[in-house]
Amino acid sequence: MHDLNPPQRAAVLHTQGPLLVLAGAGSGKTRVIVEKIAHLIASGRMPAKRIAAITFTNKSAKEMRERVGKRIKGDAADGLTICTFHALGLKFLQIEHAAVGLKRGFSIFDSDDSSAQVKDLMSGAKPDEVEAAKNLISRAKNAGLSPDEALAAARGNREKEAALLYQRYQARLSAFNAVDFDDLIRLPVQVLEGNADIAAAWRERIGYLLVDECQDTNDAQYRLLKMLAGERGDFTCVGDDDQSIYAWRGANPDNLLAMARDYPKLQIVKLEQNYRCSNRVLRVANALIAHNPHEHLKKLWSDQPDGDRIRVWECRDNDHEAEKVAAEIAFLHTARNAPWSDFCILFRGNFQSRPLEKALQLLRIPYHLTGGTAFLERQEVKDALSWLRLVANPDDDTAFLRAVQSPKREVGATSLAKLAELAQSAHLPLSRAAESMAALRQLPARAGNGLSAFNDIIGDLRDHAATLSAKDLLLRLIERSGLLAELRAQCKDEASFQRRRANLDELADWFDGGPRGGNVGDLAAQLALLSRNDKDDGGNQVRLMSLHAAKGLEFRYVFIVGCEDGTLPHEISVEEGNLEEERRLLYVGITRAKQALWLSYSRQTRRFRELVRLKPSRFLDELPQSELQRDGADPVADAERKKERASAGLAAIQAMLDG
DNA sequence: CAGGTTCAGTTTTTT
DNA sequence: ACTGAACCTG
């Protein structure tokens, strides 16, 4: 506590009523949250089990859990809730499912499942139309609107059509006993706002609320926060409007302003001392973000030394750019004896990682890519999860359709269409229709046999669901379903079979160490919330990730590649007039750097089949030029670079000899 | 019905 | 370059 600076201490000690902490980048906001939790518990102000700390990503929840674990020894922190908004909403629905007409074991549809439904409802629509419609539905949900409310609010034909689609989409979901990601927020809000008893019970349960990154709340999340905090509003919200980078999924930084209106007693504390970045990095970041209009004035300062010059590199193309970055990392790793984990490469879009990976591999530099093919998006994992979903939730037609065809069991499109027809006229979910003898008799013999074999396996798994642990059930499922055998048959070589099998083992491990609860459906639902960024990181590796994924992290050496107009700012954002958010994105990237920063751009890139000329990002012109060192402007730097190239070349030759 | 082949479209960020 | 959809064949 005594290491805290005065505003940090004020934020920690303020425990009655609403508090907003405007925390600049690197100003120790996580530390304040952790200290505050410790203080609330130690002072007896609130027992751990009535404190909830809410984050936006699983990654930050995990990080916070670790830091709390280090700060609070023993069992004092037992019962503390630290999770994402979505995980909290899920927990809420698992308890209050009856209030929104959901049955136990309900499924969570991921984006792909949602897209498939929308596509099906809009027969014949092109993929981008489907995505657009899905986004409209998502926007309505993030605004906290029910289908009826959306219809009432719709102006003009297009909006009306979208609202009607939302209605049909939602009807599907409830027929499937399923919710999508957005419902995890919207439905709890609906329950809390419409049911005083339940709201009172939850306020008893959660006596103090802390919300991290609250500039990222969307309207539905803000309403959830208000309902949980109640009139008194015992909460601490921590946020930074300069780091708001999720407007595209409904985040509304105006919620920070709304908070002052809704809670007249709101206290505001500003954290303006940055402990992370070199002074030079901070000057550059401040100059950039000064180009955005500001509601809350905040002046970040640092008493750190100036650190290294900020390098701006012009490259021939992305391969050249990647080679330069990799060479520089290899050079500094040796020259400064810096561990690989000191380095981070940031980019706007995940697709930009490819050339970088190639270049790092060539130099034998170990790296970890955050956000590669998501674990949960792997075919074998999705297959197994579909089986599990169906075991827990017979109404889940989406899970049925996937499970029944993986592995293949001679039930094809024609038979499934027939089955759907029968299910519809009998008002049954597909999996129930598939169990009826009458239906089986109407299908071709081969398909009928396939289906009854499938039914037997599902029945066996349901019989064991109550007695086996979740992990054992999953293992039984992987074996019984034939997924394992199919995987072996599919893979050409043993190595790839073992690799994919390891994914299934990992899934089982998640169940093993995962949150307890007994109910398989609950576990499957929690798994659905895991994202691509949650896989183990750490280790002594160079880190590669998108600018979005980098929020909250810090590294000694940061490379931001693709600083081109059209890439950063992204052209879609420019078209939509979201330049300010793109600027904040670069601001977030720059403020990750503790000591040194590189900004690079290419003159051209290969896009699909043609070469495209690129211009340097307009943001580079907004930086104080005196702080930058352009490539080639300095003979000393050039000499250094020559050395790097030589060492990169040596390393490459060495790598080839080794290979 | 399943597995293979060709061919078009494709790239923003995440729970 | 890489993926998924459409089409073709045993």
Side-chain angles (χ1 to χ4, degrees):
Chain A
M1 177 80 81
H2 31 266
D3 307 332
L4 298 176
N5 66 31
Q8 286 177 331
R9 196 172 307 131
V12 169
L13 293 176
H14 180 286
T15 59
Q16 307 271 355
L19 174 69
L20 173 61
V21 181
L22 293 174
S27 63
K29 81 189 156 65
T30 309
R31 182 133 180 267
V32 165
I33 293 176
V34 171
E35 284 302 323
K36 183 147 192 173
I37 292 172
H39 174 64
L40 284 166
I41 298 172
S43 66
R45 168 82 178 79
M46 197 59 71
K49 65 171 189 293
R50 291 191 65 211
I51 300 173
I54 311 301
T55 62
F56 271 80
T57 61
N58 294 302
K59 202 154 101 182
S60 30
K62 191 174 151 211
E63 151 122 18
M64 197 172 292
R65 240 175 260 128
E66 277 161 14
R67 295 204 23 196
V68 166
K70 261 185 227 152
R71 174 64 180 78
I72 306 173
K73 298 286 180 215
D75 56 4
D78 281 4
L80 186 65
T81 302
I82 300 179
C83 65
T84 63
F85 261 110
H86 288 84
L88 181 71
L90 172 62
K91 201 164 154 195
F92 182 96
L93 288 180
Q94 283 174 342
I95 294 167
E96 312 289 353
H97 54 90
V100 284
L102 285 168
K103 289 178 268 180
R104 250 202 109 75
F106 61 84
S107 304
I108 296 183
F109 275 26
D110 64 20
S111 320
D112 285 350
D113 294 327
S114 297
S115 299
Q117 289 311 316
V118 176
K119 185 180 170 198
D120 197 46
L121 288 167
M122 303 171 64
S123 47
K126 293 191 201 87
D128 50 337
E129 290 172 341
V130 170
E131 278 315 292
K134 202 182 82 165
N135 281 336
L136 283 177
I137 294 175
S138 182
R139 273 239 296 275
K141 290 188 168 194
N142 287 333
L145 297 175
S146 70
D148 291 345
E149 289 164 342
L151 192 58
R155 300 273 167 272
N157 275 344
R158 260 196 65 193
E159 286 190 19
K160 233 168 228 143
E161 244 169 73
L164 286 170
L165 183 70
Y166 175 15
Q167 210 160 38
R168 290 199 294 151
Y169 168 79
Q170 203 60 36
R172 281 257 176 119
L173 285 191
S174 67
F176 296 162
N177 191 30
V179 297
D180 62 18
F181 286 139
D182 299 326
D183 286 337
L184 293 174
I185 313 296
R186 182 183 69 93
L187 293 174
V189 169
Q190 191 183 305
V191 173
L192 288 166
E193 288 182 349
N195 193 319
D197 288 351
I198 295 181
W202 276 84
R203 274 176 211 149
E204 191 49 39
R205 221 187 169 99
I206 300 178
Y208 200 96
L209 206 56
L210 300 106
V211 181
D212 193 14
E213 309 277 16
C214 70
Q215 76 282 356
D216 289 334
T217 50
N218 62 38
D219 293 347
Q221 285 161 334
Y222 180 58
R223 274 161 73 179
L224 182 59
L225 161 69
K226 274 203 292 190
M227 286 314 295
L228 290 173
E231 299 252 319
R232 251 195 0 265
D234 281 335
F235 65 74
T236 299
C237 281
V238 185
D240 178 5
D241 44 350
D242 287 333
Q243 294 186 68
S244 165
I245 53 175
Y246 286 102
W248 52 273
R249 64 173 220 219
N252 182 2
D254 289 347
N255 285 332
L256 293 184
L257 302 176
M259 201 177 283
R261 266 202 316 276
D262 295 337
Y263 294 95
K265 289 193 184 145
L266 181 74
Q267 295 282 307
I268 299 182
V269 171
K270 290 182 187 178
L271 304 184
E272 297 178 298
Q273 181 175 4
N274 170 297
Y275 295 95
R276 175 191 297 150
C277 310
S278 79
N279 216 316
R280 195 193 309 270
V281 166
L282 204 57
R283 286 201 297 273
V284 169
N286 281 338
L288 174 72
I289 207 63
H291 286 81
N292 274 3
H294 282 83
E295 297 288 351
H296 308 277
L297 267 181
K298 184 163 63 5
K299 43 178 191 326
L300 262 191
W301 60 279
S302 156
D303 58 11
Q304 309 279 312
D306 265 3
D308 297 0
R309 268 295 168 84
I310 284 146
R311 309 279 178 71
V312 175
W313 283 351
E314 179 178 272
C315 312
R316 227 175 17 256
D317 53 34
N318 347 42
D319 288 324
H320 180 218
E321 181 181 46
E323 283 157 23
K324 284 178 74 151
V325 169
E328 184 84 342
I329 290 175
F331 169 69
L332 288 171
H333 171 69
T334 318
R336 296 205 191 163
N337 201 19
W340 297 120
S341 52
D342 272 358
F343 300 91
C344 177
I345 311 174
L346 299 173
F347 34 76
R348 175 70 235 265
N350 284 309
F351 69 96
Q352 291 172 277
S353 67
R354 286 189 171 279
L356 292 162
E357 286 189 82
K358 250 191 342 200
L360 291 167
Q361 279 164 10
L362 190 67
L363 298 191
R364 299 281 158 108
I365 298 174
Y367 66 89
H368 179 266
L369 175 68
T370 305
T373 307
F375 174 65
L376 289 164
E377 280 163 29
R378 282 171 207 274
Q379 215 184 347
E380 57 274 16
V381 174
K382 282 194 92 162
D383 287 344
L385 271 179
S386 293
W387 276 79
L388 204 63
R389 260 162 64 173
L390 188 64
V391 169
N393 177 13
D395 296 333
D396 191 336
D397 282 2
T398 301
F400 172 82
L401 287 174
R402 188 176 183 112
V404 81
Q405 293 184 102
S406 42
K408 301 278 189 285
R409 41 176 29 93
E410 303 198 296
V411 183
T414 323
S415 297
L416 286 173
K418 181 76 186 160
L419 185 68
E421 209 177 285
L422 295 167
Q424 188 145 45
S425 56
H427 300 290
L428 285 174
L430 288 174
S431 76
R432 291 298 186 207
E435 286 165 7
S436 92
M437 285 315 286
L440 291 183
R441 256 184 267 118
Q442 292 193 47
L443 295 173
R446 285 196 304 178
N449 290 337
L451 265 188
S452 26
F454 179 76
N455 290 335
D456 291 345
I457 305 169
I458 290 286
D460 169 84
L461 293 170
R462 291 215 178 108
D463 289 344
H464 287 82
T467 48
L468 288 180
S469 74
K471 182 179 180 175
D472 288 340
L473 182 71
L474 187 73
L475 291 173
R476 189 183 184 93
L477 178 161
I478 289 167
E479 206 267 316
R480 288 288 175 111
S481 62
L483 282 174
L484 199 60
E486 158 123 324
L487 203 57
R488 177 171 274 128
Q490 253 179 22
C491 295
K492 301 208 157 51
D493 56 308
E494 181 67 13
S496 71
F497 169 66
Q498 289 304 342
R499 209 173 38 242
R500 297 180 65 187
R501 191 207 171 127
N503 287 327
L504 289 175
D505 288 341
E506 193 182 329
L507 184 66
D509 285 342
W510 275 104
F511 277 83
D512 202 16
R516 282 154 293 148
N519 184 303
V520 191
D522 288 0
L523 282 171
Q526 280 163 24
L527 262 176
L529 290 188
L530 291 171
S531 82
R532 49 173 65 194
N533 291 334
D534 301 335
K535 271 208 63 187
D536 54 330
D537 31 27
N540 187 14
Q541 295 172 315
V542 174
R543 308 284 305 278
L544 276 73
M545 69 187 86
S546 71
L547 287 159
H548 283 86
K551 189 153 68 145
L553 305 176
E554 58 180 35
F555 299 91
R556 226 144 98 89
Y557 305 106
V558 170
F559 295 80
I560 302 178
V561 299
C563 294
E564 300 123 15
D565 246 43
T567 314
L568 178 63
H570 194 278
E571 57 188 336
I572 295 175
S573 294
V574 175
E575 276 164 31
E576 292 175 353
N578 297 333
L579 204 61
E580 287 161 23
E581 178 149 312
E582 297 288 311
R583 194 177 279 115
R584 288 191 292 265
L585 207 42
L586 179 56
Y587 174 78
V588 167
I590 291 175
T591 52
R592 298 311 95 191
K594 292 203 278 195
Q595 183 178 335
L597 175 70
W598 288 257
L599 303 167
S600 61
Y601 58 91
S602 305
R603 281 197 305 271
Q604 64 178 25
T605 187
R606 251 197 142 65
R607 209 152 80 183
F608 311 134
R609 275 201 283 308
E610 67 219 308
L611 278 179
V612 183
R613 296 221 146 277
L614 297 167
K615 280 196 172 111
S617 169
R618 63 190 78 180
F619 294 147
L620 292 176
D621 299 330
E622 298 177 358
L623 306 179
Q625 301 302 308
S626 58
E627 308 282 8
L628 309 181
Q629 183 169 328
R630 302 266 176 179
D631 193 11
D634 177 335
V636 180
D638 282 354
E640 201 178 325
R641 194 132 306 113
K642 223 179 251 170
K643 249 189 324 191
E644 288 159 30
R645 289 211 190 99
S647 78
L650 270 179
I653 292 164
Q654 189 64 49
M656 276 187 280
L657 288 176
D658 292 350

